[in-house]
Amino acid sequence: LVNGAMPEGAKHVQASVTEANRSGYYSNQATMSQLEQGTTYAYQLVNGAKQSPVYTFTTEDASNGFTFLFMGDPQLGASGNLISDNSGWNTTLRAAAAKVPDAAFLLSAGDQVNTANNEGQYTAYLDQQVLYSLPVATVIGNHDNSSNAYGQHFNVPNESGEYGTTDAGSDYWFRYGNVLFLVLNVNNMSDAEHRMFMEKAMAQNQDAEWNIVTMHHSVYSVANHALENDIIQRRNTLVPIFEELGIDVVLQGHDHVYVRTYMMDDFNAVTESEKYTDQNGDGVPDAVTDPDGILYVTANSASGSKYYNIKTEEQFPYAAVKS
């Protein structure tokens, strides 16, 4: 930067422009390439004579590992008070950025908005100061699913276009360091399509040391949706595929209650293992090293717009932690 301004020789990237669903609105998307690790970049949006302030973001050096933020179901507008939901989302983002200042990106597990084509709700989600410097990877939730507005707001990489497809989009993947993230649109319930997508993505990333699936509907949750037929169906069809493909972690949302499972061996919880550590001494593992099986995590509400209640009449033996 020259005195805080972009230099004359700054690289220009032309955005692709398409008409949005709402009259008078346009979707503008651009892709940056050849970025280097461990580097801070400045950028500015220019539209004719109008210019945004100059913002910066930093690519993490992932050679020695990295951290990222995981949040579920902001679902802005779900409470009926978008101003309140916006405030809650802003508070969470600022607190998370302060607690994990070196986070490489934010992974949002779906239901970014309450109404799939509501521009006011998308504005509340996106127009946050923290997000001007923090990359975001999103999942298609059931509340995002009924409109192509999702694809007008999120420029996702490596989108399959043929597997897990609904109006909002399809399965996609991205790579960060030695981790492959497989993002499934399980609003489409074809387990054959999701398997095909994951097999192809993993074949292109055979050197990835960790394979993480993220999807919206939680197959191991404890609240309102936990025992619904479509959730049980997803569990019965997807879990064996995850096991067969060697998935390590599955990150989910949808049920608005935080759940961390024990390591799961297919459908069975591994409640005791020499690979667990229990620093609190409460009998609940707080870490696991080089584990066998799959860890499932369900996020709650990142904005506070809507929480569900834990089904107290159920034991849920797979849940190591529920809150």
Side-chain angles (χ1 to χ4, degrees), residues 14-30 47 119 122 126 148-156:
Q14 183 67 39
S16 60
V17 184
T18 58
E19 289 191 43
N21 291 330
R22 184 170 175 176
S23 178
Y25 280 62
Y26 295 85
S27 172
N28 302 269
Q29 297 186 349
N47 182 12
E119 287 297 334
Y122 270 114
L126 290 165
N148 65 352
Y150 174 90
Q152 295 172 2
H153 291 86
F154 302 113
N155 187 13
V156 305

mmCIF file of all heavy atoms in Angstrom, residues 14-30 47 119 122 126 148-156:
data_model
loop_
_atom_site.group_PDB
_atom_site.id
_atom_site.type_symbol
_atom_site.label_atom_id
_atom_site.label_comp_id
_atom_site.label_asym_id
_atom_site.label_seq_id
_atom_site.Cartn_x
_atom_site.Cartn_y
_atom_site.Cartn_z
ATOM 1 N N GLN A 14 -11.436 -8.823 -12.768
ATOM 2 C CA GLN A 14 -12.781 -8.429 -13.208
ATOM 3 C C GLN A 14 -13.814 -9.402 -12.647
ATOM 4 O O GLN A 14 -13.679 -10.625 -12.804
ATOM 5 C CB GLN A 14 -12.860 -8.413 -14.735
ATOM 6 C CG GLN A 14 -14.191 -7.945 -15.290
ATOM 7 C CD GLN A 14 -14.449 -6.464 -15.007
ATOM 8 O OE1 GLN A 14 -13.525 -5.657 -15.081
ATOM 9 N NE2 GLN A 14 -15.679 -6.122 -14.670
ATOM 10 N N ALA A 15 -14.821 -8.879 -12.000
ATOM 11 C CA ALA A 15 -15.890 -9.725 -11.476
ATOM 12 C C ALA A 15 -16.851 -10.109 -12.587
ATOM 13 O O ALA A 15 -17.090 -9.338 -13.527
ATOM 14 C CB ALA A 15 -16.644 -8.992 -10.371
ATOM 15 N N SER A 16 -17.397 -11.323 -12.472
ATOM 16 C CA SER A 16 -18.497 -11.711 -13.362
ATOM 17 C C SER A 16 -19.790 -11.206 -12.734
ATOM 18 O O SER A 16 -19.981 -11.290 -11.514
ATOM 19 C CB SER A 16 -18.543 -13.225 -13.533
ATOM 20 O OG SER A 16 -18.743 -13.867 -12.285
ATOM 21 N N VAL A 17 -20.665 -10.666 -13.557
ATOM 22 C CA VAL A 17 -21.877 -10.014 -13.065
ATOM 23 C C VAL A 17 -23.097 -10.709 -13.648
ATOM 24 O O VAL A 17 -23.192 -10.917 -14.863
ATOM 25 C CB VAL A 17 -21.894 -8.517 -13.453
ATOM 26 C CG1 VAL A 17 -23.123 -7.828 -12.852
ATOM 27 C CG2 VAL A 17 -20.612 -7.825 -12.993
ATOM 28 N N THR A 18 -24.033 -11.089 -12.786
ATOM 29 C CA THR A 18 -25.295 -11.681 -13.229
ATOM 30 C C THR A 18 -26.437 -11.008 -12.484
ATOM 31 O O THR A 18 -26.275 -10.546 -11.350
ATOM 32 C CB THR A 18 -25.338 -13.194 -12.959
ATOM 33 O OG1 THR A 18 -25.153 -13.431 -11.547
ATOM 34 C CG2 THR A 18 -24.260 -13.917 -13.738
ATOM 35 N N GLU A 19 -27.590 -10.955 -13.109
ATOM 36 C CA GLU A 19 -28.766 -10.412 -12.436
ATOM 37 C C GLU A 19 -29.181 -11.352 -11.318
ATOM 38 O O GLU A 19 -29.218 -12.563 -11.483
ATOM 39 C CB GLU A 19 -29.919 -10.236 -13.424
ATOM 40 C CG GLU A 19 -29.698 -9.113 -14.415
ATOM 41 C CD GLU A 19 -30.958 -8.795 -15.203
ATOM 42 O OE1 GLU A 19 -32.046 -8.744 -14.574
ATOM 43 O OE2 GLU A 19 -30.863 -8.613 -16.422
ATOM 44 N N ALA A 20 -29.500 -10.786 -10.172
ATOM 45 C CA ALA A 20 -29.930 -11.575 -9.023
ATOM 46 C C ALA A 20 -31.443 -11.784 -9.066
ATOM 47 O O ALA A 20 -32.142 -11.248 -9.932
ATOM 48 C CB ALA A 20 -29.519 -10.889 -7.732
ATOM 49 N N ASN A 21 -31.934 -12.573 -8.116
ATOM 50 C CA ASN A 21 -33.367 -12.854 -8.080
ATOM 51 C C ASN A 21 -34.200 -11.610 -7.830
ATOM 52 O O ASN A 21 -35.284 -11.454 -8.390
ATOM 53 C CB ASN A 21 -33.654 -13.882 -6.975
ATOM 54 C CG ASN A 21 -33.109 -15.246 -7.312
ATOM 55 O OD1 ASN A 21 -33.030 -15.599 -8.476
ATOM 56 N ND2 ASN A 21 -32.732 -16.011 -6.306
ATOM 57 N N ARG A 22 -33.674 -10.714 -6.996
ATOM 58 C CA ARG A 22 -34.418 -9.512 -6.658
ATOM 59 C C ARG A 22 -34.164 -8.440 -7.702
ATOM 60 O O ARG A 22 -33.028 -8.167 -8.077
ATOM 61 C CB ARG A 22 -34.000 -9.015 -5.270
ATOM 62 C CG ARG A 22 -34.797 -7.811 -4.787
ATOM 63 C CD ARG A 22 -34.501 -7.536 -3.320
ATOM 64 N NE ARG A 22 -35.147 -6.316 -2.861
ATOM 65 C CZ ARG A 22 -35.122 -5.870 -1.614
ATOM 66 N NH1 ARG A 22 -34.468 -6.566 -0.690
ATOM 67 N NH2 ARG A 22 -35.733 -4.747 -1.275
ATOM 68 N N SER A 23 -35.214 -7.821 -8.184
ATOM 69 C CA SER A 23 -35.095 -6.817 -9.227
ATOM 70 C C SER A 23 -34.189 -5.680 -8.784
ATOM 71 O O SER A 23 -34.316 -5.145 -7.670
ATOM 72 C CB SER A 23 -36.485 -6.254 -9.567
ATOM 73 O OG SER A 23 -36.394 -5.245 -10.539
ATOM 74 N N GLY A 24 -33.256 -5.305 -9.662
ATOM 75 C CA GLY A 24 -32.333 -4.231 -9.363
ATOM 76 C C GLY A 24 -31.088 -4.673 -8.618
ATOM 77 O O GLY A 24 -30.208 -3.860 -8.356
ATOM 78 N N TYR A 25 -30.998 -5.961 -8.268
ATOM 79 C CA TYR A 25 -29.831 -6.495 -7.564
ATOM 80 C C TYR A 25 -28.983 -7.326 -8.523
ATOM 81 O O TYR A 25 -29.510 -7.940 -9.466
ATOM 82 C CB TYR A 25 -30.257 -7.382 -6.391
ATOM 83 C CG TYR A 25 -30.665 -6.623 -5.154
ATOM 84 C CD1 TYR A 25 -31.754 -5.757 -5.162
ATOM 85 C CD2 TYR A 25 -29.975 -6.778 -3.954
ATOM 86 C CE1 TYR A 25 -32.141 -5.066 -4.029
ATOM 87 C CE2 TYR A 25 -30.349 -6.092 -2.806
ATOM 88 C CZ TYR A 25 -31.438 -5.236 -2.853
ATOM 89 O OH TYR A 25 -31.808 -4.554 -1.726
ATOM 90 N N TYR A 26 -27.684 -7.328 -8.288
ATOM 91 C CA TYR A 26 -26.756 -8.085 -9.135
ATOM 92 C C TYR A 26 -25.775 -8.870 -8.274
ATOM 93 O O TYR A 26 -25.386 -8.423 -7.191
ATOM 94 C CB TYR A 26 -25.977 -7.144 -10.063
ATOM 95 C CG TYR A 26 -26.866 -6.451 -11.069
ATOM 96 C CD1 TYR A 26 -27.534 -5.279 -10.731
ATOM 97 C CD2 TYR A 26 -27.052 -6.989 -12.342
ATOM 98 C CE1 TYR A 26 -28.366 -4.650 -11.632
ATOM 99 C CE2 TYR A 26 -27.885 -6.363 -13.255
ATOM 100 C CZ TYR A 26 -28.550 -5.195 -12.896
ATOM 101 O OH TYR A 26 -29.380 -4.579 -13.796
ATOM 102 N N SER A 27 -25.408 -10.021 -8.759
ATOM 103 C CA SER A 27 -24.395 -10.846 -8.098
ATOM 104 C C SER A 27 -23.057 -10.602 -8.790
ATOM 105 O O SER A 27 -22.939 -10.747 -10.006
ATOM 106 C CB SER A 27 -24.774 -12.331 -8.195
ATOM 107 O OG SER A 27 -23.722 -13.143 -7.736
ATOM 108 N N ASN A 28 -22.062 -10.206 -8.007
ATOM 109 C CA ASN A 28 -20.717 -9.942 -8.533
ATOM 110 C C ASN A 28 -19.739 -10.904 -7.863
ATOM 111 O O ASN A 28 -19.597 -10.894 -6.638
ATOM 112 C CB ASN A 28 -20.296 -8.505 -8.213
ATOM 113 C CG ASN A 28 -21.273 -7.490 -8.785
ATOM 114 O OD1 ASN A 28 -21.112 -7.012 -9.901
ATOM 115 N ND2 ASN A 28 -22.299 -7.156 -8.008
ATOM 116 N N GLN A 29 -19.061 -11.729 -8.659
ATOM 117 C CA GLN A 29 -18.149 -12.715 -8.093
ATOM 118 C C GLN A 29 -16.827 -12.703 -8.848
ATOM 119 O O GLN A 29 -16.801 -12.646 -10.076
ATOM 120 C CB GLN A 29 -18.769 -14.123 -8.147
ATOM 121 C CG GLN A 29 -20.039 -14.228 -7.312
ATOM 122 C CD GLN A 29 -20.588 -15.630 -7.230
ATOM 123 O OE1 GLN A 29 -20.162 -16.518 -7.955
ATOM 124 N NE2 GLN A 29 -21.545 -15.843 -6.333
ATOM 125 N N ALA A 30 -15.747 -12.765 -8.068
ATOM 126 C CA ALA A 30 -14.406 -12.781 -8.648
ATOM 127 C C ALA A 30 -13.587 -13.858 -7.953
ATOM 128 O O ALA A 30 -13.844 -14.191 -6.793
ATOM 129 C CB ALA A 30 -13.726 -11.422 -8.492
ATOM 130 N N ASN A 47 -16.380 0.025 -8.314
ATOM 131 C CA ASN A 47 -17.536 -0.040 -9.196
ATOM 132 C C ASN A 47 -17.696 1.326 -9.843
ATOM 133 O O ASN A 47 -18.273 2.242 -9.266
ATOM 134 C CB ASN A 47 -18.786 -0.422 -8.402
ATOM 135 C CG ASN A 47 -20.016 -0.559 -9.297
ATOM 136 O OD1 ASN A 47 -19.897 -0.579 -10.518
ATOM 137 N ND2 ASN A 47 -21.187 -0.644 -8.690
ATOM 138 N N GLU A 119 -32.966 -11.031 0.734
ATOM 139 C CA GLU A 119 -31.736 -10.244 0.625
ATOM 140 C C GLU A 119 -31.385 -9.538 1.931
ATOM 141 O O GLU A 119 -30.207 -9.345 2.240
ATOM 142 C CB GLU A 119 -31.864 -9.223 -0.510
ATOM 143 C CG GLU A 119 -31.810 -9.837 -1.901
ATOM 144 C CD GLU A 119 -30.485 -10.516 -2.199
ATOM 145 O OE1 GLU A 119 -29.462 -10.132 -1.602
ATOM 146 O OE2 GLU A 119 -30.476 -11.459 -2.997
ATOM 147 N N TYR A 122 -29.513 -12.073 3.967
ATOM 148 C CA TYR A 122 -28.158 -12.264 3.433
ATOM 149 C C TYR A 122 -27.267 -11.072 3.765
ATOM 150 O O TYR A 122 -26.078 -11.240 4.055
ATOM 151 C CB TYR A 122 -28.208 -12.485 1.923
ATOM 152 C CG TYR A 122 -28.339 -13.934 1.530
ATOM 153 C CD1 TYR A 122 -29.487 -14.412 0.900
ATOM 154 C CD2 TYR A 122 -27.309 -14.833 1.788
ATOM 155 C CE1 TYR A 122 -29.604 -15.742 0.550
ATOM 156 C CE2 TYR A 122 -27.429 -16.162 1.438
ATOM 157 C CZ TYR A 122 -28.578 -16.611 0.820
ATOM 158 O OH TYR A 122 -28.694 -17.934 0.476
ATOM 159 N N LEU A 126 -23.687 -11.337 5.706
ATOM 160 C CA LEU A 126 -22.435 -11.004 5.023
ATOM 161 C C LEU A 126 -21.841 -9.664 5.427
ATOM 162 O O LEU A 126 -20.615 -9.501 5.404
ATOM 163 C CB LEU A 126 -22.661 -11.009 3.509
ATOM 164 C CG LEU A 126 -22.897 -12.380 2.887
ATOM 165 C CD1 LEU A 126 -23.461 -12.235 1.479
ATOM 166 C CD2 LEU A 126 -21.613 -13.186 2.862
ATOM 167 N N ASN A 148 -31.893 -20.401 -5.839
ATOM 168 C CA ASN A 148 -30.509 -20.289 -6.323
ATOM 169 C C ASN A 148 -29.815 -19.042 -5.795
ATOM 170 O O ASN A 148 -28.701 -18.727 -6.198
ATOM 171 C CB ASN A 148 -30.464 -20.331 -7.848
ATOM 172 C CG ASN A 148 -31.141 -19.131 -8.497
ATOM 173 O OD1 ASN A 148 -31.774 -18.325 -7.823
ATOM 174 N ND2 ASN A 148 -31.022 -19.031 -9.801
ATOM 175 N N ALA A 149 -30.471 -18.310 -4.862
ATOM 176 C CA ALA A 149 -29.833 -17.142 -4.251
ATOM 177 C C ALA A 149 -28.562 -17.535 -3.512
ATOM 178 O O ALA A 149 -27.628 -16.734 -3.410
ATOM 179 C CB ALA A 149 -30.804 -16.452 -3.289
ATOM 180 N N TYR A 150 -28.510 -18.758 -2.983
ATOM 181 C CA TYR A 150 -27.300 -19.224 -2.284
ATOM 182 C C TYR A 150 -26.080 -19.088 -3.193
ATOM 183 O O TYR A 150 -25.052 -18.532 -2.804
ATOM 184 C CB TYR A 150 -27.483 -20.676 -1.843
ATOM 185 C CG TYR A 150 -26.250 -21.295 -1.242
ATOM 186 C CD1 TYR A 150 -25.994 -21.224 0.122
ATOM 187 C CD2 TYR A 150 -25.331 -21.976 -2.047
ATOM 188 C CE1 TYR A 150 -24.854 -21.797 0.669
ATOM 189 C CE2 TYR A 150 -24.190 -22.552 -1.501
ATOM 190 C CZ TYR A 150 -23.958 -22.458 -0.144
ATOM 191 O OH TYR A 150 -22.821 -23.019 0.378
ATOM 192 N N GLY A 151 -26.199 -19.574 -4.417
ATOM 193 C CA GLY A 151 -25.077 -19.506 -5.352
ATOM 194 C C GLY A 151 -24.769 -18.104 -5.830
ATOM 195 O O GLY A 151 -23.673 -17.845 -6.337
ATOM 196 N N GLN A 152 -25.713 -17.174 -5.661
ATOM 197 C CA GLN A 152 -25.467 -15.782 -6.019
ATOM 198 C C GLN A 152 -24.686 -15.046 -4.936
ATOM 199 O O GLN A 152 -24.141 -13.975 -5.185
ATOM 200 C CB GLN A 152 -26.801 -15.083 -6.276
ATOM 201 C CG GLN A 152 -27.541 -15.627 -7.476
ATOM 202 C CD GLN A 152 -28.939 -15.065 -7.625
ATOM 203 O OE1 GLN A 152 -29.364 -14.214 -6.825
ATOM 204 N NE2 GLN A 152 -29.668 -15.524 -8.630
ATOM 205 N N HIS A 153 -24.627 -15.635 -3.728
ATOM 206 C CA HIS A 153 -23.923 -14.994 -2.619
ATOM 207 C C HIS A 153 -22.615 -15.689 -2.259
ATOM 208 O O HIS A 153 -21.752 -15.074 -1.637
ATOM 209 C CB HIS A 153 -24.823 -14.944 -1.381
ATOM 210 C CG HIS A 153 -25.988 -14.010 -1.529
ATOM 211 N ND1 HIS A 153 -27.172 -14.401 -2.107
ATOM 212 C CD2 HIS A 153 -26.137 -12.704 -1.202
ATOM 213 C CE1 HIS A 153 -28.017 -13.375 -2.113
ATOM 214 N NE2 HIS A 153 -27.411 -12.329 -1.570
ATOM 215 N N PHE A 154 -22.473 -16.961 -2.617
ATOM 216 C CA PHE A 154 -21.279 -17.715 -2.245
ATOM 217 C C PHE A 154 -20.652 -18.328 -3.482
ATOM 218 O O PHE A 154 -21.293 -19.092 -4.208
ATOM 219 C CB PHE A 154 -21.629 -18.796 -1.219
ATOM 220 C CG PHE A 154 -22.266 -18.242 0.028
ATOM 221 C CD1 PHE A 154 -23.585 -18.531 0.337
ATOM 222 C CD2 PHE A 154 -21.554 -17.414 0.881
ATOM 223 C CE1 PHE A 154 -24.185 -18.016 1.476
ATOM 224 C CE2 PHE A 154 -22.150 -16.891 2.023
ATOM 225 C CZ PHE A 154 -23.458 -17.190 2.318
ATOM 226 N N ASN A 155 -19.396 -17.982 -3.702
ATOM 227 C CA ASN A 155 -18.649 -18.418 -4.892
ATOM 228 C C ASN A 155 -17.807 -19.628 -4.496
ATOM 229 O O ASN A 155 -16.647 -19.499 -4.130
ATOM 230 C CB ASN A 155 -17.764 -17.264 -5.370
ATOM 231 C CG ASN A 155 -17.083 -17.546 -6.685
ATOM 232 O OD1 ASN A 155 -17.430 -18.489 -7.391
ATOM 233 N ND2 ASN A 155 -16.099 -16.726 -7.024
ATOM 234 N N VAL A 156 -18.406 -20.818 -4.526
ATOM 235 C CA VAL A 156 -17.737 -21.998 -3.972
ATOM 236 C C VAL A 156 -16.803 -22.629 -5.001
ATOM 237 O O VAL A 156 -17.042 -22.551 -6.207
ATOM 238 C CB VAL A 156 -18.762 -23.029 -3.463
ATOM 239 C CG1 VAL A 156 -19.710 -22.394 -2.454
ATOM 240 C CG2 VAL A 156 -19.544 -23.653 -4.610
#
